[in-house]
């Protein structure tokens, strides 16, 4: 059975909130009809990644109303699983607070926490979001009160982060810190490119020409580590050591060619809601003959601390160490063997 339908506004429902995250990769959609309200976490294409029941607006049924679900309407929470078995008034003023990574969101009603859909919510695995008015665990929502201890630090960090990020001078000060660190490790900078255009996250690319002890140019992103990557916690036990990265590439050829690799990947984790780490590969998104470092390659391999490359460690942000991942070109054959 389809527990939650796709958030499409059909079937007599009304969209009362549609709010995108700062990276354009997820949208929070809140829908209601006369009987209930539900929130969905959707991709730009409309795929539902997480969903949570928010409220019944009429008396709760004793058990799940399958006819209602099968007709594509927002679910009614059964009586044992709601704090308001007789129903409650329509929702008040709704405001989302996105996690720093952009893959999860907290929803407030009149400044009171109403629900949380974290990045790990997955309806297909029976993991809905958390709702203030839910009791226990049901297919439609888990009790928010029972998860607050773990969620509260994430929500507090998100509020602090966006307050800082939207403050005047936040980006220039961060940029200066990274550039200062790279000055000490790689020597003075040459050219600098903006790699982000009008979209968050803001990322630049800095070029460091050869030095006496280094016969090649190093290019590095500046800004990826200003926000944690999405989904790391779903794969790593201690995500704090892996959630913040910058990318680097070494070249003896025209630095502008190598810079294209950084432009390609610098916003990728947030726009695709994924993460990049040591040993990961990325397949070039365009025709193989357009690969910047030569048509014999089809992508890149990412490595932390590869031999014969400068040690980039020593920079931290948000209390977490930043890792530099070095990109090296890789053939299709090597990429396939890397995956196996």
């Amino acid at each position: 059975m389809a527990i939650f339908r796709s958030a499409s506004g059909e079937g007599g429902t009304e969209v009362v909130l549609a709010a995108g995250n700062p990276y354009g990769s997820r949208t929070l959609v809140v829908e209601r009809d006369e009987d209930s309200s539900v929130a969905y976490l959707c991709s730009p294409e409309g795929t539902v990644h997480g969903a949570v029941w928010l409220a019944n607006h009429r008396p709760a049924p004793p058990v799940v109303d399958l006819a209602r679900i099968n007709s594509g309407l927002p679910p009614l929470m059964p009586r044992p699983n709601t704090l308001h078995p007789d129903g409650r008034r329509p929702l008040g003023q709704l405001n989302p607070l996105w996690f720093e990574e952009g893959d999860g969101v907290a929803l407030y009603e009149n400044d009171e926490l109403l629900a949380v859909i974290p990045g790990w919510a997955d309806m297909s695995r029976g993991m809905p979001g958390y709702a203030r008015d839910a009791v226990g665990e049901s297919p439609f929502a888990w009790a928010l009160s029972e998860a607050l201890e773990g969620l509260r630090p994430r929500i507090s960090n998100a509020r602090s982060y966006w307050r800082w990020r939207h403050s005047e001078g936040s980006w220039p000060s961060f940029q200066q810190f990274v550039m200062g660190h790279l000055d000490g490790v790689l020597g003075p900078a040459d050219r600098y490119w903006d790699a982000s255009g009008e979209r968050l996250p803001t990322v630049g690319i800095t070029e460091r020409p050869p030095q006496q002890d280094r016969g090649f140019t190093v290019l590095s992103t500046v800004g990826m580590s200003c926000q944690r990557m999405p989904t790391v916690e779903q794969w790593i036990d201690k995500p704090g050591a892996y959630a913040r990265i910058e990318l680097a590439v070494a070249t003896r050829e025209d630095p502008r060619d190598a810079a294209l690799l950084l432009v390609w990947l610098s916003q990728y984790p947030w726009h695709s809601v994924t993460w990049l780490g040591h040993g990961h590969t990325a397949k070039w998104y365009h025709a193989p003959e357009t690969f910047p470092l030569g048509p014999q390659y089809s992508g890149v391999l990412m490595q932390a601390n590869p031999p014969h490359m400068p040690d980039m460690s020593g920079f931290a942000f948000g209390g977490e160490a930043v890792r530099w991942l070095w990109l090296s070109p890789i053939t299709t054959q090597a990429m396939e063997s890397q995956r196996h």
Side-chain angles (χ1 to χ4, degrees), residues 10-129:
E10 298 171 357
T13 61
E14 172 192 5
V15 175
V16 294
L17 177 70
N21 74 7
Y23 311 116
S25 57
R26 291 286 184 266
T27 300
L28 176 68
V29 178
V30 178
E31 292 184 351
R32 60 151 294 176
D33 65 4
E34 292 182 353
D35 299 327
S36 69
S37 295
V38 176
Y40 303 91
L41 190 61
C42 307
S43 67
E45 306 82 47
T47 303
V48 175
H49 294 276
V52 64
W53 164 93
L54 300 174
N56 288 351
H57 305 305
R58 69 169 175 82
V63 295
V64 173
D65 186 341
L66 289 177
R68 181 178 171 86
I69 292 168
N70 292 334
S71 65
L73 294 171
L76 276 165
M77 184 65 83
R79 181 170 285 271
N81 296 108
T82 172
L83 291 176
H84 300 283
D86 295 328
R88 55 149 292 178
R89 56 177 171 67
L91 300 174
Q93 179 69 37
L94 298 175
N95 291 296
L97 172 64
W98 290 97
F99 289 4
E100 178 181 342
E101 302 90 334
D103 60 346
V105 63
L107 179 63
Y108 286 81
E109 180 193 16
N110 302 330
D111 299 323
E112 184 179 339
L113 186 59
L114 176 67
V116 177
I117 308 180
W120 60 87
D122 184 345
M123 296 309 301
S124 65
R125 292 162 55 199
M127 297 168 63

Side-chain angles (χ1 to χ4, degrees), residues 193-240:
W193 295 277
D194 172 61
S196 50
E198 299 298 313
R199 301 201 300 173
L200 284 178
T202 304
V203 185
I205 296 170
T206 178
E207 174 189 347
R208 308 284 165 152
Q211 299 289 301
Q212 292 178 344
D213 59 342
R214 189 184 77 241
F216 50 84
T217 296
V218 173
L219 299 115
S220 170
T221 58
V222 175
M224 292 181 73
S225 61
C226 190
Q227 50 281 305
R228 306 172 104 240
M229 290 184 292
T231 75
V232 179
E233 64 212 347
Q234 298 176 38
W235 301 94
I236 300 286
D237 286 339
K238 296 183 178 178

Side-chain angles (χ1 to χ4, degrees), residues 57-297:
H57 305 305
R58 69 169 175 82
V63 295
V64 173
D65 186 341
L66 289 177
R68 181 178 171 86
I69 292 168
N70 292 334
S71 65
L73 294 171
L76 276 165
M77 184 65 83
R79 181 170 285 271
N81 296 108
T82 172
L83 291 176
H84 300 283
D86 295 328
R88 55 149 292 178
R89 56 177 171 67
L91 300 174
Q93 179 69 37
L94 298 175
N95 291 296
L97 172 64
W98 290 97
F99 289 4
E100 178 181 342
E101 302 90 334
D103 60 346
V105 63
L107 179 63
Y108 286 81
E109 180 193 16
N110 302 330
D111 299 323
E112 184 179 339
L113 186 59
L114 176 67
V116 177
I117 308 180
W120 60 87
D122 184 345
M123 296 309 301
S124 65
R125 292 162 55 199
M127 297 168 63
Y130 303 91
R132 181 189 65 198
D133 292 351
V135 174
E137 294 182 1
S138 80
F140 308 136
W142 291 356
L144 180 59
S145 58
E146 296 174 15
L148 266 181
E149 185 177 348
L151 292 172
R152 194 174 276 124
R154 293 291 297 271
I155 295 167
S156 175
N157 289 345
R159 189 173 300 285
S160 299
Y161 175 77
W162 291 115
R163 186 182 298 124
W164 169 80
R165 190 65 183 83
H166 294 310
S167 65
E168 189 175 354
S170 62
W171 167 248
S173 66
F174 176 86
Q175 185 183 42
Q176 189 175 351
F177 284 135
V178 183
M179 294 290 278
H181 171 72
L182 294 174
D183 288 346
V185 174
L186 300 172
D190 197 343
R191 287 174 289 190
Y192 183 91
W193 295 277
D194 172 61
S196 50
E198 299 298 313
R199 301 201 300 173
L200 284 178
T202 304
V203 185
I205 296 170
T206 178
E207 174 189 347
R208 308 284 165 152
Q211 299 289 301
Q212 292 178 344
D213 59 342
R214 189 184 77 241
F216 50 84
T217 296
V218 173
L219 299 115
S220 170
T221 58
V222 175
M224 292 181 73
S225 61
C226 190
Q227 50 281 305
R228 306 172 104 240
M229 290 184 292
T231 75
V232 179
E233 64 212 347
Q234 298 176 38
W235 301 94
I236 300 286
D237 286 339
K238 296 183 178 178
Y242 301 89
R244 297 189 189 275
I245 65 162
E246 299 287 351
L247 299 177
V249 63
T251 183
R252 298 180 190 273
E253 308 299 329
D254 187 338
R256 290 173 295 183
D257 293 334
L260 290 173
L261 299 179
L262 301 182
V263 173
W264 163 41
L265 290 174
S266 61
Q267 295 181 311
Y268 178 76
W270 297 274
H271 294 167
S272 298
V273 192
T274 189
W275 68 294
L276 302 175
H278 174 74
H280 289 194
T281 59
K283 189 177 190 303
W284 181 242
Y285 70 102
H286 208 33
E289 58 268 22
T290 67
F291 189 79
L293 303 186
Q296 68 271 36
Y297 301 112

